[in-house]
Each structure stands twice: as structure tokens, then as C-alpha cells.
Amino acid sequence: MKTDLHITMGEFGHFLKLRVFGASHAPEIGMELENMPKGFQVDMDALQAFLERRAPGRDDLSTQRHEADKPDFHSGIINGTTTGETIKAVIQNTDCRPQDYSQTRTIPRPGHADYTQWLQRGRIPSGGGNHSGRMTAPLCIAGGLCLQWLQARGITVTSKLLSAGGNTTSPEEAIRKAREEGDSVGGVIEITVDGLPAGLGGALFEGVEYHLSSAIFAIPGVKGFEIGDGFALAGMHGSQSNDPFAVEDGRIVTKSNHAGGLLGGITTGMPVVFRIAMKPTPSIYKKQDSVDLHTMQNAVCETTGRHDPCIARRAMPVAEALTAFVFADMILADEASHPRICLTLTEESLEEDLAVLRKHLPFVDMCELRTDCLKEDQFGQIAEFPAKARIPVILTCRRPLDGGQWHGTEEERTILLKTALSSDSPPFTYVDFEEDFRIASLEAIARQRGTKIIRSLHDFSGPVTNLVERATALKGTSDDIPKIACMVHHCSELDRIFQETADFTTFPHIICAMGEIGQASRILAGRTHSMLTFVSPQGKMQAIGHFTPEILVERYGLRHLTSRTALYAVTGWPLEHSRSPELNNEAFFAEAQNAIMVPLPSETAEELLHCAETLGIRGIAVTIPHKKAMLPLMSSVSPEASAIGAVNTVIRTVSGWHGANTDISGFRNALLQFLGVDSLAGKKVSILGAGGAATAVAYVIAQLHGEACIFNKTLAKAEALARQYHFRAAPLATESLDLLAQYNDVIIQATSVGLSSGENNGDDPIPFYEFQGTEALYDLIYSPLETPVMTRARKAGCPTENGLSMLIEQAKEQRRLYNARNA
């Protein structure tokens, strides 16, 4: 909580929240830091050593004011461990001399904030007040904690003094000379950040440069900031300044680093390098022209007191501190904004696992090493894997009853895990122990090494109910992270999982709904507040609902999903052939809409609508077999949907669900583009099929003034549809060959025959018909892209088209309706 006892200087940070209070000559200064991760072990000696680098009076080139700068932690850290509460630290000012500033209370020091503070407050504070460089000490407390947190993740922040007073060969000599002359000099500091993950940051106000420069300019005396080659880039050609890309050890790197490790405000994985320019210390011992603010007359300013001849030297740790704070804040904010993408590795050797990891590395944040899949000769090298992976790793050895491949004894499994956890190599970030696998010695080793325990429960038979209670029981009184993975067979079961976990933010956890119906829980893991979502390479673990990392990032935009992202869904049963998410999400991206379409397969329309209510779905693309079933469930329907008795588009409105049909406009636009006409007047059309798709087709053909015959295996259905538009009807069989030959200007294939690939007459709805080369064939199927009947027609010289063009056109109309109705 924000203190009520001190005036603070605002708040900085997005996830971490930093407040600084006090003044140069106040009794104390300090800081409050919110949201520092719980359970982090702080090296207090290292923190004090870091503060000593900034502290005054430590050598002859700094001010002779001597402060201990030893922080007293009032809250947030107990016995060197962060508690998760607000960290409050206070430093006592013990060597301030307000008397040294008596004359400057009406005569502002040139170059100092005396005058501007007088404008705001009507007085000049002693020693610079809260604008003093003294206020960087609390910054170093917060930044020092962040430095240690980053170091535990393999990220380092270093600085060096490039020049002072323009002297690049011997900066200290320039400082010493200025001190002897009663003057001061400025300096240039370079900061380098190594080990940052690629992909951190964003555009405009989310860019690293924006956050970093905002923090750095909080340091009193900073007047310049440049990243990479900075201002020198203005004098280069693109061929000189561009950093060529290359692959090195499975990672994408740049051969040079003129950009300073940032492109488009996003980290590239290369070192982030930037420089800051510090002005000369304003307080110097030479006489300077000023004014007396009391008499409003010209005056001479003669400064006494104790001052640094070059503030750049002691600003170096401050720059490191604020840099560490910015990147810790950005990493924590990024991790809080969306679940981590965890790649499950199930190869037989560690080298193969590393190869798979390298292949998918740009799209994952961490990985799970499934040691139960390894050959026995690999066991002795498991402990070395985290160092080679260089990202957080979960150590897992899964038994068959939990979906794994471990066939050794429990004693052997315990030995394997103990050996891997107790090595001197860099530790695993997490280890997965099943709910009934509780070995106190193993848990002690893990906790001693800083490895967090995931306590898992797997149910491959069906859903787990009372998820929050079950997760709480798994966690117990420990800091273990509960994981519950269960199979779902119905959309209603998935719906219940989302309902039960909607407000589940009490502690970190992992929730996975397995199976095809559970895939939405992988994409929308943020809705269950799951800390991660699992992915696997193509063909691996798809049966339990895994996507590939590329699909999760590229198609479903997981790294950009937030609570403000508009959700849309596609439904049907089954849903394996739908390309709606792929096409719509690509369009959402191209149109810069913060929206995503997810697959929600459901056996019934009623279950689907209930789940859509739970998730706040704004629109639904409906496929077979729910197009007719949706109609009576709508609060309102469009004339087109009413006319053909089918809904393919459902839209949330203030008065309930609205049903529309874009198959009509989608097919119309696609057909006219394919034929290159604007009317079907004078053309005879064969419609193959009499189901839902054929109903939309017949509606369009009638609108376009075409003459049609409907062919269907069940003649009665063909006749019923034909009567609506005064078309002819015939059985879809050899006996109708002559009639098909009469209505062959355009042949529209609207049955499901042909969904399987290959030239197989069993997948051809009209194997008895010989194409003449004059027919135009439009097949509504788009997977495969060419059906057997299309292959025959193409070989005969006929123009052909598949249903992808219709899908694209009807999806455009759906998005238009979504935006119009949701506006």
C-alpha cells in the first residue's frame, strides 16, 4: 500500500510498482516496491555492495558527504526472502548540512533545478530537495533487487564510463583536473544487457526504447540517450546500418549490432546496448552569474558544500538499477499478460530434444523435458539440459497411469529425479511430481536449489469437477503449483471448466482440458488463469489437444491475447476440416483488430451457445450440422437465414443472439467472380445435393435468374427444394444422365462426397458423367483443394473452382456483420 507518511514522486512501472519518497536533507529517504515475486532469495550482502558503488564519500573523486546507505526493510522481505507483500525500505540521512545552502535559498544555482522548483513551490529546497541525486539511492535498492532477480534468469546488466569531459582515454584524469579547478565535467555511460529473451516489447508505447528512456531520464543530470549506434546511424546508408541475420547454434542472431539489440521496440535476443550522456555537475565552486529571486536583481552565485566533480561515475550503478527494473518489470508484465508457451519434448535422446527445441525456439517460452521418453543411456546427462536449453525447463518423469512412458520402478524413478535435481549444473526451473508422489528428500533438494514444484493430477477418462478446491488441496500449505489435466468429451464439460476458473487468481496454477473439445482451453489458457499452456511438435500429442507452437502463436496470437481481445468462435461437429480460424484470424491481423476466432466443436447447438455466453463470445461461425438447429435458438434472424432455414452466423447483441446467413452472399460473390458474369440469365445450372449447402446455392441461382435442376439421391428432398424456386428435380443417379447433360453450363457440387483426397470414383458424386470441356464446375468442398470430380473436369479442359473462395467471401461478410452488430 502507498505510504501516507511521505510525499512520493509519482509511481513507475507496469507490473512492478515503484515509489520513492524523501529529500536530500530530509531525515530519511526510501522506496516502496509492489509485486516483486514471492519466495525470491535476496543476497543482502550483494545488495549492500551494489549500494556502496553509488554511495557518496567512498573515494576522492566523489562528494565528501558520507552516508552509510544501509537500507532498513520495514516489510516485504523476511530472512532474506521476499514475501509477496509491498517491499518498503528506508535509508537514514545522517550527514546532510543544510547550512551549506543558506545563500542559495534565494539565489538559484545555474544549471540546477533550484529555479524551476521555486516556480512550483515558491522556495528553493535545501540540497536540491527531491530533485537531488541523493534520491537515486532508493532507486538502487529497487534496482538492486531486480538485478539479482534477472541474474537468476541468466540476464546481466553492466555499465562502463566511456568518457568524461570528452576524454575517452583517461576519464578519471579529466575528473581529477576539473576538481582541482573547482569545476565539473560531464560523461558518457554505456550500458549492456546480456541474456534477454527475444520478442520482449512491442510497438509505440509498448516499445523497449519507450520504457527504457522513460526510466533513464528519471536520473538527475541525464541529457542524452541513444540505443545501438544512435545518432551515428543518421550518417549511414541502410547497407551499413542494417544488421544481417544468421543462424547460430539453432538461434537467429545478427552479424552486427548497430540496432543495439532492438528492432521495432522489440528485443532481438542480441545484447541491448545503449548510452547516456550526463551533464556536468551544476554545483561548482567557481562564481556564476545568477539572480536574487527575493530582490529580483542580478546576483553572483557562490556555491559551497560538497559536490561530485562528475556525477557520471556514481550514476553508473543507478543506470544499471533502472535498466534492471525496466526489464524485470517488462518480463513480469509479459508473463502476467499471457500464459507461457511450454514445449513438451519427448524424443529418445537429449540431442534430439535440443534439436526440436532449437527448431521451435522463437515461439516458446519454456520447455518440459519428458525424461520418461529418453533411452536409458541418456539418464546421466539429464542434469546438463537446462544449461544447454537456456530457457526455463520443467523436469518430468511421467508414469504410464499419468500418460507417460516410464516403465522402471518407483525407486529407480526417484533416483533419476534426485540425480538430475542435485547436480551442480544450473538447476531446473520446475519439477513435476504427481499428486501421490511425495518424497520429502526430493522436495527438499528441489526447494534448496530454487526449483519450484508442480504438483500434477491427470484424468484421461473425463473432466475433473470442483477445480479450485482440487487445486487448493493439491497445493496444500506449500508453494507448490497445482496442475490439473483432464479429458473433456462434451462442450458442456469445457464450459464448466471455464466457469469454475473464471476468477481463479489466488495462486499460480495450470489447467489443461484434453482432447479436441479441450483445445480452446489451450488457446484461452488466460481465461483459466493458467500460468502456461503446453504445445508439442507436429504429430506429437495432438490426441490430447496439443497445438504446435507455431499455430498457437501465428494462427491464434496467444502472445497478444488480453482480456480486451474480442472472442469469436467456429462451431460444428466434427470440426476437423474448418479453415475459418485460419482465414479470419489472418484477416483480423491484417485489419489490426484485437480479435481472435477459436474452434469450439460441440455436439449440440445448445451446449455451444451456453459456452459462448460463459466466454463472452461476440460472434460464431456455424458449420454442419448446426445451421438448422441454431434457427429456433435465436432471438432474431435475418431475412436470408429465414428464407433458407439455416443460420451460419451468430452475433451477440444487446437483445440476445442474432442469426444470419452469409453463405448466400459468400457463394454469390465467389460464383460471379469465378464465372466472370453478373447474372446467370440464360444459363442452365445443375445443383448436386439438396442439403443445407444446396439450399443456399438454390437461393442464389434463383436470385441470379438462372435455370436449374436439383439432383439428389433422395428425390423427395430434391423435389421439395426445387418447388421453392420452380426448378426441376431428379435423382442423383445414372438414369439422370441426359438431364444432367442439359443443365451443364454450370455444375455446382454441394454434397459432402469428395472430402477424402485422391482420384477415387467412390468419392465422385457423378462418376457416370463425362465432361465435355465446356462445363464450369464449382465444388463447395475446399479440403482437399481438388476433389476427384474437379480433377476429372480439369483434365477435360473445364474451368474449376473449389469452395475456398466461398469461404473467404462469406467470412468477409461475417466480419462485416460482427463489426456492425457489435459496434
Side-chain angles (χ1 to χ4, degrees):
M1 296 291 294
K2 184 174 178 178
T3 177
D4 294 323
L5 302 178
H6 300 94
I7 297 175
T8 64
M9 280 137 274
E11 185 176 85
F12 187 70
H14 288 73
F15 183 88
L16 295 175
K17 302 293 183 182
L18 173 62
R19 294 179 291 271
V20 174
F21 56 85
S24 179
H25 289 171
E28 61 185 24
I29 56 178
M31 69 93 206
E32 293 173 334
L33 178 63
E34 287 185 12
N35 299 328
M36 194 68 184
K38 179 182 178 181
F40 178 67
Q41 300 288 327
V42 180
D43 185 334
M44 289 298 188
D45 291 336
L47 178 63
Q48 188 60 48
F50 177 70
L51 296 176
E52 285 289 320
R53 290 177 53 203
R54 192 226 67 90
R58 297 312 191 259
D59 58 40
D60 64 343
L61 291 184
S62 69
T63 172
Q64 292 310 293
R65 177 176 177 175
H66 198 285
E67 298 282 0
D69 277 5
K70 186 173 179 61
D72 179 17
F73 287 94
H74 290 193
S75 63
I77 297 179
I78 297 178
N79 297 325
T81 303
T82 57
T83 65
E85 302 298 320
T86 298
I87 299 174
K88 181 178 180 180
V90 171
I91 293 176
Q92 300 298 321
N93 283 329
T94 60
D95 191 25
C96 51
R97 296 180 185 174
Q99 64 273 17
D100 290 341
Y101 293 85
S102 57
Q103 67 162 325
T104 63
R105 290 178 181 172
T106 60
I107 301 177
R109 291 166 289 176
H112 204 281
D114 289 349
Y115 171 63
T116 48
Q117 288 187 86
W118 178 78
L119 288 173
Q120 288 190 339
R121 304 181 185 183
R123 66 184 67 185
I124 298 174
S126 174
N130 55 24
H131 288 254
S132 168
R134 177 71 184 141
M135 298 311 301
T136 60
L139 297 179
C140 283
I141 301 174
L145 295 172
C146 292
L147 276 168
Q148 291 190 28
W149 186 82
L150 290 176
Q151 286 167 0
R153 291 187 165 215
I155 302 169
T156 59
V157 182
T158 57
S159 67
K160 60 182 177 181
L161 185 63
L162 294 183
S163 68
N167 189 327
T168 58
T169 57
S170 182
E172 291 194 353
E173 181 180 331
I175 298 171
R176 187 166 279 106
K177 182 178 180 182
R179 184 180 194 86
E180 292 170 355
E181 295 173 351
D183 212 332
S184 65
V185 291
V188 176
I189 302 167
E190 182 174 88
I191 295 92
T192 301
V193 189
D194 278 302
L196 283 169
L200 188 66
L204 301 177
F205 306 118
E206 298 301 321
V208 172
E209 294 99 324
Y210 173 81
H211 295 290
L212 201 52
S213 59
S214 296
I216 293 299
F217 275 108
I219 304 174
V222 171
K223 287 297 182 181
F225 178 90
E226 66 173 5
I227 290 182
D229 285 355
F231 285 96
L233 293 172
M236 294 184 183
H237 290 83
S239 57
Q240 296 172 299
S241 66
N242 292 340
D243 299 312
F245 290 105
V247 175
E248 183 179 289
D249 192 26
R251 295 172 182 264
I252 297 175
V253 299
T254 57
K255 294 182 179 180
S256 53
N257 197 19
H258 301 298
L262 297 170
L263 291 172
I266 302 170
T267 56
T268 65
M270 299 297 288
V272 169
V273 181
F274 65 95
R275 285 167 294 281
I276 60 175
M278 305 292 302
K279 71 177 184 180
T281 314
S283 297
I284 59 177
Y285 299 108
K286 292 187 173 183
K287 293 181 179 180
Q288 302 176 81
D289 289 337
S290 186
V291 296
D292 190 319
L293 298 172
H294 179 68
T295 64
M296 297 302 289
Q297 299 292 318
N298 292 331
V300 174
C301 175
E302 295 185 73
T303 302
T304 58
R306 301 160 295 178
H307 310 287
D308 290 87
C310 178
I311 55 178
R313 291 176 68 251
R314 288 173 54 218
M316 290 164 61
V318 184
E320 292 173 23
L322 284 173
T323 300
F325 178 88
V326 166
F327 283 115
D329 181 41
M330 292 190 74
I331 290 171
L332 287 167
D334 181 63
E335 292 182 353
S337 68
H338 65 83
R340 303 289 85 191
I341 301 174
C342 182
L343 179 66
T344 298
L345 300 171
T346 56
E347 303 303 318
E348 292 185 338
S349 74
L350 293 167
E351 194 55 44
E352 288 174 309
D353 279 329
L354 284 171
V356 170
L357 177 58
R358 292 189 189 106
K359 179 181 178 181
H360 299 286
L361 195 56
F363 299 102
V364 301
D365 305 301
M366 56 191 297
C367 65
E368 178 188 32
L369 180 63
R370 286 284 299 275
T371 58
D372 52 294
C373 299
L374 292 171
K375 289 183 176 179
E376 190 173 347
D377 62 3
Q378 299 291 301
F379 292 172
Q381 307 166 50
I382 291 173
E384 302 168 11
F385 191 82
K388 294 178 179 178
R390 293 191 287 179
I391 61 173
V393 183
I394 302 174
L395 173 65
T396 301
C397 188
R398 190 75 71 216
R399 304 169 299 191
L401 64 92
D402 296 302
Q405 300 181 37
W406 177 259
H407 296 289
T409 66
E410 284 296 81
E411 182 180 359
E412 290 169 335
R413 189 163 76 117
T414 301
I415 292 172
L416 181 148
L417 291 168
K418 184 174 292 186
T419 302
L421 289 171
S422 58
S423 167
D424 290 334
S425 301
F428 287 88
T429 309
Y430 304 94
V431 61
D432 188 311
F433 295 148
E434 295 83 5
E435 60 172 333
D436 60 344
F437 185 73
R438 297 182 182 271
I439 310 295
S441 59
L442 265 183
E443 295 176 17
I445 292 171
R447 293 190 172 99
Q448 185 178 9
R449 300 223 58 209
T451 299
K452 297 178 182 177
I453 297 172
I454 296 172
R455 187 68 65 180
S456 60
L457 180 159
H458 300 84
D459 192 330
F460 292 88
S461 62
V464 173
T465 57
N466 300 318
L467 285 164
V468 177
E469 291 82 353
R470 294 294 295 276
T472 302
L474 274 176
K475 177 182 179 296
T477 58
S478 70
D479 287 330
D480 293 357
I481 300 167
K483 170 192 171 184
I484 299 176
C486 60
M487 189 67 69
V488 291
H489 302 290
H490 304 284
C491 190
S492 57
E493 295 169 347
L494 178 67
D495 183 11
R496 186 168 61 244
I497 288 175
F498 281 123
Q499 288 186 54
E500 289 187 9
T501 58
D503 300 313
F504 186 16
T505 57
T506 314
F507 47 79
H509 58 270
I510 304 165
I511 302 292
C512 306
M514 296 187 286
E516 181 188 359
I517 295 177
Q519 283 188 319
S521 75
R522 312 286 177 157
I523 303 166
L524 303 177
R527 293 302 182 97
T528 62
H529 306 283
S530 182
M531 63 173 277
L532 62 84
T533 187
F534 289 100
V535 294
S536 58
Q538 188 70 41
K540 298 265 189 176
M541 307 183 79
Q542 288 179 306
I544 62 171
H546 280 208
F547 290 103
T548 66
E550 289 78 6
I551 286 178
L552 207 55
V553 173
E554 294 173 353
R555 182 177 302 173
Y556 295 109
L558 181 73
R559 285 175 167 165
H560 292 279
L561 297 187
T562 69
S563 59
R564 296 187 298 274
T565 301
L567 292 184
Y568 298 90
V570 57
T571 191
W573 189 261
L575 202 53
E576 57 189 32
H577 294 292
S578 177
R579 292 187 62 184
S580 288
E582 176 185 354
L583 296 173
N584 280 281
N585 291 336
E586 185 174 328
F588 288 143
F589 177 78
E591 296 163 4
Q593 291 193 50
N594 184 14
I596 199 78
M597 177 174 280
V598 301
L600 275 179
S602 178
E603 288 183 280
T604 69
E606 290 86 351
E607 282 183 290
L608 180 280
L609 288 178
H610 198 281
C611 188
E613 290 280 1
T614 297
L615 290 172
I617 299 289
R618 299 177 68 177
I620 307 166
V622 183
T623 65
I624 56 174
H626 300 324
K627 292 187 178 184
K628 291 187 181 296
M630 281 290 180
L631 198 62
L633 303 176
M634 299 293 99
S635 298
S636 61
V637 294
S638 70
E640 293 84 359
S642 180
I644 66 173
V647 168
N648 85 321
T649 305
V650 173
I651 307 159
R652 179 188 295 275
T653 70
V654 293
S655 56
W657 294 111
H658 173 76
N661 194 298
T662 64
D663 284 338
I664 293 170
S665 61
F667 176 66
R668 181 198 304 116
N669 295 341
L671 182 65
L672 293 178
Q673 290 174 27
F674 167 54
L675 298 175
V677 299
D678 55 14
S679 171
L680 292 181
K683 291 188 180 295
K684 290 191 172 185
V685 182
S686 288
I687 302 173
L688 310 184
T695 302
V697 168
Y699 185 93
V700 171
I701 301 305
Q703 276 190 330
L704 296 174
H705 309 293
E707 185 180 345
C709 182
I710 299 173
F711 299 86
N712 192 61
K713 286 186 176 181
T714 304
L715 180 59
K717 287 188 67 175
E719 290 174 335
L721 179 57
R723 277 195 297 269
Q724 297 180 46
Y725 305 106
H726 306 291
F727 292 160
R728 295 187 67 174
L732 184 56
T734 307
E735 62 193 79
S736 301
L737 181 58
D738 290 341
L739 193 56
L740 183 59
Q742 292 178 39
Y743 287 82
N744 68 353
D745 291 332
V746 182
I747 299 175
I748 300 170
Q749 205 295 98
T751 76
S752 60
V753 178
L755 281 172
S756 60
S757 60
E759 293 188 48
N760 183 337
N761 282 345
D763 293 329
D764 188 332
I766 49 174
F768 49 83
Y769 180 80
E770 293 294 331
F771 287 97
Q772 303 302 306
T774 58
E775 305 91 340
L777 175 68
Y778 192 103
D779 193 329
L780 269 63
I781 291 172
Y782 57 84
S783 179
L785 294 176
E786 183 171 276
T787 60
V789 70
M790 289 178 65
T791 301
R792 285 202 304 117
R794 176 178 55 78
K795 288 182 176 179
C798 300
T800 63
E801 179 76 289
N802 65 32
L804 186 59
S805 57
M806 174 185 170
L807 180 65
I808 292 171
E809 289 298 322
Q810 66 91 13
K812 283 182 183 177
E813 179 63 11
Q814 281 181 327
R815 290 193 300 278
R816 188 190 70 77
L817 291 175
Y818 294 151
N819 291 333
R821 286 277 181 170
N822 293 148

